[in-house]
Amino acid sequence: VCNLYPFEETARTSRDVDELIENIDIGGVSLLRAAAKNYRHVTVLTDPGDYEEAISELRAGGDISLPKRERFALKAFGMTASYDSAIVDGLGDATGHALPLLPEKMPLGLTKKQDLRYGENPHQQAGLYLLPLAEVPWEQLSGKPLSYNNLLDVDCAMRGCELLGGSRGAIEITHATPSGMACGETQAEAYEKAVACDPVSAFGGVVGISQRVDMETALAISKLFTEAVVAPEFDEDALGFLQQNRPSLRLLRWNGGRASALQFTGTRSGVLVQEDSLPPLPDPDRGEWIGSPRPDLWEDLMLAWKAAALSKSNAISMVKDLEAVGIGRGFCSRLHAVEFAAAQAGEKSRGASLGSDAFFPFPDGVEAAARAGVAAIIQPGGSQRDSEVFLAAEKLGISMFISGSRTFRH
């Protein structure tokens, strides 16, 4: 039986190298590994939660069965691996010699934060895990336990709130992609405008609020079935109202951070790892205008760009008066995404600003936008047919800003 020095607990509160070194267990790890290696003759216990099981078996038969010794041994090897992973992260940060973002060997040492009822579907097992020294960036204040799909939507809501920055904005998330996004004079107005983009899809979604939730916003949220609300803060009366009137509603106070700087995606080919960073915001002084510049539409163009950047690719968003009026996302064809967004927007597409997450491969998407009455487009450019696309925009009287940054999201 062996419990190790509390290195991870120490590293959470201290960056003092000497203190961290003092809390690196050497002998304990050696004992655990030696005992685990010799599991045929030794029982090794590393988790106090296993003590009762081991004691009961000893009392019943005087020995621990081989299958249980094998299980306890593997648990010990897992613990020492996780312990070493925490040392790599904690000591690396303290000494200024952290591993590169994508090292040749990546010691993960994931620790289960919570069991989840199931994954995307009931036949899939799932859990929420954290890297060493990481913490979830939110506190759940109320509501039912979060599900796997809730957490995917919450992730999208946090990204949306970060993109909205200091503005008074709101975002509706359904199946990890926005169904609406808007800014307003009040937080409640922003929320209601976000819902208005697609009120049918907003039912049962997750809401992201960029600033604190006040009572007016809480009253508006309470009128529609919602799975979760993510916000930096809740006014005391608003929190009490939602807790009392919507007890199942998950309320998350987000601290503005994230649990990891990396994004992991499991595939049949292996685990894909990429830097988890939001795309750089377009800069009017660094991009290029095709046709007449429209600084009067810049705020709408920026919101259209943000809605498209957050949406599943291929993505097109239409914004008018700081309100997304149509979002076409998850289409295999960019033309179809434009047509969907225009159909959803209806007459509101006239004079609207359009954001595209990637270049237009052909002029047909711009032509469809012109038929809908779009006034301006923001897109990254980069197509082999850029000249044809630019010429079509100029002929059709659409101002186009070339940002230079693609924002695919799969």
Side-chain angles (χ1 to χ4, degrees):
V1 177
C2 183
N3 297 311
L4 303 178
Y5 291 170
F7 178 87
E8 188 166 350
E9 290 81 353
T10 304
R12 290 180 187 279
T13 58
S14 174
R15 291 174 59 86
D16 181 80
V17 174
D18 290 335
E19 185 178 4
L20 292 175
I21 289 174
E22 283 299 314
N23 280 278
I24 295 176
D25 202 318
I26 301 299
V29 172
S30 299
L31 287 171
L32 289 177
R33 289 177 61 83
K37 179 180 178 179
N38 290 281
Y39 68 85
R40 289 189 178 92
H41 312 289
V42 179
T43 299
V44 56
L45 296 176
T46 59
D47 182 354
D50 294 327
Y51 293 174
E52 185 59 38
E53 180 181 1
I55 290 170
S56 296
E57 188 153 332
L58 282 170
R59 285 174 175 167
D63 196 5
I64 306 294
S65 66
L66 181 60
K68 283 189 179 178
R69 275 184 271 139
E70 290 172 337
R71 178 161 58 85
F72 291 150
L74 291 172
K75 198 168 187 177
F77 282 126
M79 168 177 267
T80 59
S82 180
Y83 192 77
D84 285 340
S85 178
I87 293 170
V88 170
D89 286 355
L91 198 58
D93 287 343
T95 60
H97 295 290
L99 292 178
L101 198 63
L102 297 173
E104 291 300 315
K105 296 284 187 179
M106 187 179 291
L108 294 181
L110 297 173
T111 299
K112 188 188 290 182
K113 171 66 176 178
Q114 68 182 78
D115 287 306
L116 302 175
R117 187 177 174 191
Y118 50 77
E120 283 185 286
N121 302 291
H123 71 277
Q124 295 168 286
Q125 296 184 63
L128 175 63
Y129 286 78
L130 292 175
L131 290 165
L133 311 182
E135 297 283 358
V136 291
W138 42 258
E139 176 188 2
Q140 184 166 354
L141 305 176
S142 185
K144 297 190 296 185
L146 288 157
S147 71
Y148 184 96
N149 291 329
N150 289 155
L151 286 163
L152 289 175
D153 288 347
V154 164
D155 176 75
C156 191
M158 291 189 291
R159 295 172 189 273
C161 288
E162 186 172 348
L163 282 172
L164 288 167
S167 61
R168 192 174 283 108
I171 184 165
E172 274 283 353
I173 304 297
T174 305
H175 289 292
T177 197
S179 62
M181 191 175 190
C183 296
E185 291 297 319
T186 67
Q187 196 63 74
E189 181 192 8
Y191 166 74
E192 288 170 345
K193 288 166 69 175
V195 171
C197 180
D198 188 350
V200 175
S201 297
F203 183 86
V206 167
V207 173
I209 300 294
S210 66
Q211 296 187 5
R212 63 189 307 117
V213 175
D214 56 19
M215 190 61 185
E216 184 184 10
T217 309
L219 287 167
I221 290 171
S222 70
K223 297 175 183 177
L224 183 69
F225 171 63
T226 300
E227 290 280 355
V229 178
V230 179
E233 192 52 85
F234 295 79
D235 284 349
E236 187 175 346
D237 58 345
L239 178 61
F241 170 80
L242 290 172
Q243 288 175 330
Q244 181 176 356
N245 291 275
R246 291 289 182 269
S248 295
L249 176 61
R250 303 160 179 89
L251 303 177
L252 304 181
R253 182 193 286 131
W254 177 48
N255 64 18
R258 58 186 176 181
S260 173
L262 294 174
Q263 197 169 20
F264 300 87
T265 303
T267 75
R268 295 293 175 95
S269 301
V271 178
L272 290 171
V273 183
Q274 69 173 348
E275 182 182 2
D276 188 359
S277 59
L278 294 176
L281 295 176
D283 185 338
D285 296 325
R286 296 191 177 185
E288 176 189 2
W289 282 102
I290 306 299
S292 301
R294 293 298 303 268
D296 57 314
L297 294 178
W298 184 252
E299 288 188 354
D300 276 357
L301 283 167
M302 282 296 294
L303 187 61
W305 179 89
K306 291 174 183 179
L310 195 64
S311 298
K312 298 291 186 180
S313 301
N314 289 309
I316 294 289
S317 67
M318 293 185 181
V319 168
K320 191 171 185 180
D321 299 327
L322 292 178
E323 174 184 351
V325 294
I327 305 176
R329 64 277 191 203
F331 284 89
C332 298
S333 160
R334 192 158 301 280
L335 172 61
H336 293 163
V338 175
E339 291 172 340
F340 182 91
Q344 189 179 55
E347 286 301 309
K348 291 182 179 180
S349 65
R350 305 213 163 269
S353 297
L354 181 151
S356 177
D357 67 337
F359 61 66
F360 288 90
F362 304 99
D364 53 3
V366 175
E367 292 163 357
R371 290 193 295 271
V374 167
I377 292 174
I378 185 169
Q379 60 119 336
S383 168
Q384 292 184 349
R385 294 183 175 83
D386 267 354
S387 59
E388 297 175 38
V389 172
F390 296 169
L391 182 61
E394 289 187 280
K395 284 184 176 180
L396 294 166
I398 295 178
S399 298
M400 181 177 286
F401 184 80
I402 307 304
S403 68
S405 294
R406 191 181 73 184
T407 59
F408 269 166
R409 192 158 185 262
H410 292 95

